[in-house]
């Protein structure tokens, strides 16, 4: 038997601070049925990680439970092992071709240039004026294409982000499909025309890619492109806001020995990714709750990352926390495609903030996008002071 707790992921109070309701769900209803999403909601770390790990029992690919999904809509994010394995290996190798640390280092002068351009302003929006253009630049460098117009891609990103919440807001489905088609058209043109080094060039030159349907490969790169942009963009906002709210943390990170564990801890503490879904391939149980074949579960990463059963003092930033097997980017074969790029970017960003002679300060109230799957800042007003 489960306890029912009112949980509306799109309620503004929950978007601004979801952690109190996550704590209540973990304590009173760690496996709870959500009528609107028609899903079981999981908030304990052990349950979430097991679902993400066990791809035999918990499917991402809805065809495994009888859904009709056209082949032309498939990509590796919607497939499960072993079918996913061949293209996943190609994609991982293609993403390694351009060194992600080097990509982030190359973006450093542009980061400095944005701050120099904005330094005399009383205030500016970090999200639209710094995070968005840099996330697009870094992602295009990874994939190997010339950046599209920023306003065009921001619109695509916002439509795709809202589409992830279509179970809560069905009206988001059609606009999300429309911008998805825009991205696919851009990707098709890039595969034809780009000659820049990067992920597309690596895939196009691989003899193994030629054995796979073109749409499957392009859909996968489209998924990687948006995942990389959204993860770099949203993580920039989340981490900078956290550092502004905890100024001692930035100072502590001057100690280079804390950088790796410190960045991992920041991702655990404030990762924008809130969760993902899976479907049971057979009747099973989570704790005392029976999950029927074909029923969906939502694994709430952000709730699992504050689980006191696994993380001591979960609501505190502990920069040398170890071990720290957080779920900030998911877990298992469907871990976020932008995870390494975002992690490398956060190293570069934190170094930059610590080296600046002018301190960054909050200049107003942060504003969140109304989205549930990705808890994402829409605006972060800041200022620079000597």
């Amino acid at each position: 038997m489960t306890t029912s707790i009112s949980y509306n992921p799109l309620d503004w109070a929950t978007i601004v601070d979801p952690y109190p309701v996550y704590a209540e769900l973990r304590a009173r209803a760690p496996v709870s049925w959500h009528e609107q999403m028609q899903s079981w909601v999981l908030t304990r770390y052990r349950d979430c990680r097991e679902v993400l790990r066990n791809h035999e029992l918990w499917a991402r690919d809805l065809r495994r439970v009888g859904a009709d999904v056209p082949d032309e809509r498939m990509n590796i994010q919607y497939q499960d092992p072993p079918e996913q394995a061949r293209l996943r290996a190609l994609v991982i190798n293609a993403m390694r071709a351009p060194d992600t640390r080097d990509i982030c280092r190359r973006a450093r002068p542009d980061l400095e240039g944005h701050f120099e351009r904005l330094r005399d302003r009383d205030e500016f929006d970090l999200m639209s004026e710094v995070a968005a253009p840099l996330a697009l630049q870094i992602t295009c460098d990874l994939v190997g294409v010339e950046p599209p117009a920023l306003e065009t891609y921001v619109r695509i990103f916002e439509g795709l982000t809202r589409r992830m919440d279509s179970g809560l807001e069905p009206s988001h489905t059609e606009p999300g499909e429309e911008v998805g088609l825009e991205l696919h058209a851009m990707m098709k043109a890039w595969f034809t025309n780009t000659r820049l080094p990067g992920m597309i060039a690596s895939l196009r030159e691989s003899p193994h890619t030629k054995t796979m349907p073109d749409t499957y490969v392009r859909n996968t790169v489209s998924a990687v492109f948006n995942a990389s942009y959204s993860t770099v963009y949203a993580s920039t906002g989340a981490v900078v806001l956290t550092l502004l709210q905890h100024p001692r943390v930035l100072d502590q990170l001057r100690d280079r020995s804390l950088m790796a564990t410190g960045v991992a801890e920041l991702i655990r503490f404030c990762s924008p990714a809130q969760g993902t879904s899976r479907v049971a391939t057979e009747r099973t149980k989570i704790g005392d709750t029976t999950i029927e074949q074909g029923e969906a579960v939502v694994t709430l990463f952000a709730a699992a990352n504050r689980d006191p059963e696994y993380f001591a003092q979960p609501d505190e930033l502990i920069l040398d926390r170890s071990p720290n097997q957080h779920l900030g980017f998911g877990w298992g074969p469907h871990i976020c495609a932008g995870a390494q790029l975002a992690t490398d970017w956060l190293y570069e960003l934190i170094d930059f903030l610590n080296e600046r002679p002018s301190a960054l300060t909050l200049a107003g109230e942060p504003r969140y996008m109304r989205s549930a799957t990705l808890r994402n800042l829409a605006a972060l007003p800041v200022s620079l002071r000597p």
Side-chain angles (χ1 to χ4, degrees):
M1 181 173 178
T2 59
T3 302
S4 178
I5 292 175
S6 176
Y7 168 51
N8 177 6
L10 290 175
D11 175 73
W12 275 114
T14 300
I15 290 171
V16 171
D17 184 7
Y19 299 107
V21 71
Y22 289 166
E24 186 180 10
L25 283 166
R26 261 196 328 266
R28 295 181 51 211
V31 183
S32 59
W33 179 253
H34 196 283
E35 189 64 29
Q36 190 177 4
M37 291 191 288
Q38 287 292 290
S39 300
W40 295 96
V41 175
L42 312 182
T43 51
R44 286 184 301 220
Y45 180 90
R46 65 175 183 268
D47 297 335
C48 290
R49 192 169 80 166
E50 176 58 21
V51 166
L52 298 173
R53 184 197 67 81
N54 189 346
H55 56 82
E56 293 180 358
L57 180 56
W58 300 103
R60 178 74 168 165
D61 187 345
L62 298 182
R63 297 176 302 178
R64 293 174 59 198
V65 292
D68 182 18
V69 183
D71 287 344
E72 60 267 21
R73 297 181 69 92
M74 293 303 294
N75 64 64
I76 59 169
Q77 288 296 81
Y78 291 102
Q79 282 187 319
D80 295 322
E83 186 180 9
Q84 178 208 51
R86 196 157 62 103
L87 183 55
R88 181 175 176 80
L90 284 174
V91 167
I92 289 172
N93 287 335
M95 290 181 76
R96 286 174 179 160
D99 185 324
T100 54
R101 288 304 302 272
D102 193 45
I103 287 171
C104 294
R105 290 189 192 103
R106 287 202 296 271
R108 174 69 172 264
D110 295 279
L111 174 61
E112 293 168 351
H114 285 302
F115 271 75
E116 180 64 23
R117 173 175 57 83
L118 297 164
R119 67 187 176 91
D120 294 328
R121 294 250 299 267
D122 290 338
E123 68 175 70
F124 59 91
D125 175 27
L126 185 93
M127 301 309 295
S128 64
E129 299 187 81
V130 179
L134 284 169
L136 187 59
Q137 174 188 332
I138 289 167
T139 300
C140 289
D141 198 351
L142 172 74
V143 174
V145 296
E146 293 291 343
L150 180 60
E151 60 272 17
T152 297
Y153 199 76
V154 168
R155 179 174 50 77
I156 291 173
F157 157 72
E158 290 177 351
L160 293 175
T161 300
R162 292 190 176 97
R163 186 179 65 177
M164 291 190 288
D165 299 332
S166 57
L168 295 162
E169 291 278 7
S171 63
H172 292 338
T173 303
E174 187 174 343
E177 294 290 338
E178 290 173 359
V179 296
L181 291 173
E182 282 190 65
L183 177 56
H184 293 324
M186 289 167 62
M187 193 59 61
K188 185 175 182 179
W190 284 335
F191 262 84
T192 302
N193 299 321
T194 186
R195 292 295 178 265
L196 296 174
M199 185 178 176
I200 288 178
S202 180
L203 285 171
R204 195 171 48 207
E205 292 162 9
S206 170
H208 302 291
T209 306
K210 295 177 175 58
T211 66
M212 301 177 187
D214 289 345
T215 53
Y216 178 39
V217 177
R218 290 198 302 267
N219 288 351
T220 293
V221 181
S222 293
V224 170
F225 190 96
N226 192 62
S228 297
Y229 174 87
S230 62
T231 307
V232 171
Y233 171 73
S235 295
T236 296
V239 166
V240 170
L241 177 59
T242 300
L243 293 174
L244 293 177
Q245 293 170 332
H246 302 80
R248 66 173 182 82
V249 170
L250 184 60
D251 190 56
Q252 287 175 309
L253 286 170
R254 294 180 187 277
D255 180 352
R256 297 290 301 176
S257 69
L258 287 175
M259 184 64 83
T261 57
V263 167
E265 176 69 348
L266 283 163
I267 294 166
R268 178 198 71 84
F269 187 80
C270 67
S271 174
Q274 298 298 284
T276 191
S277 62
R278 298 288 187 271
V279 176
T281 59
E282 60 184 67
R283 193 180 199 214
T284 188
K285 295 188 82 170
I286 297 178
D288 296 328
T289 302
T290 298
I291 313 293
E292 299 293 344
Q293 181 185 27
E295 288 187 335
V297 299
V298 172
T299 57
L300 284 178
F301 307 151
N305 281 342
R306 299 287 186 102
D307 187 346
E309 184 179 302
Y310 193 82
F311 298 100
Q313 299 174 267
D315 297 320
E316 299 293 324
L317 275 164
I318 300 173
L319 298 182
D320 60 352
R321 188 185 295 275
S322 182
N324 188 356
Q325 294 181 313
H326 63 77
L327 306 183
F329 294 128
W331 191 270
H334 293 288
I335 191 168
C336 175
Q340 189 58 56
L341 187 65
T343 300
D344 290 340
W345 172 242
L346 291 176
Y347 291 157
E348 201 68 40
L349 177 65
I350 289 167
D351 265 349
F352 168 75
L353 292 175
N354 262 330
E355 291 174 8
R356 278 201 57 77
S358 300
L360 195 66
T361 59
L362 272 175
E365 195 67 26
R367 179 169 56 83
Y368 284 87
M369 182 178 177
R370 191 168 184 267
S371 58
T373 307
L374 187 72
R375 181 170 172 255
N376 174 52
L377 282 164
L380 181 58
V382 294
S383 63
L384 291 165
R385 59 175 175 79

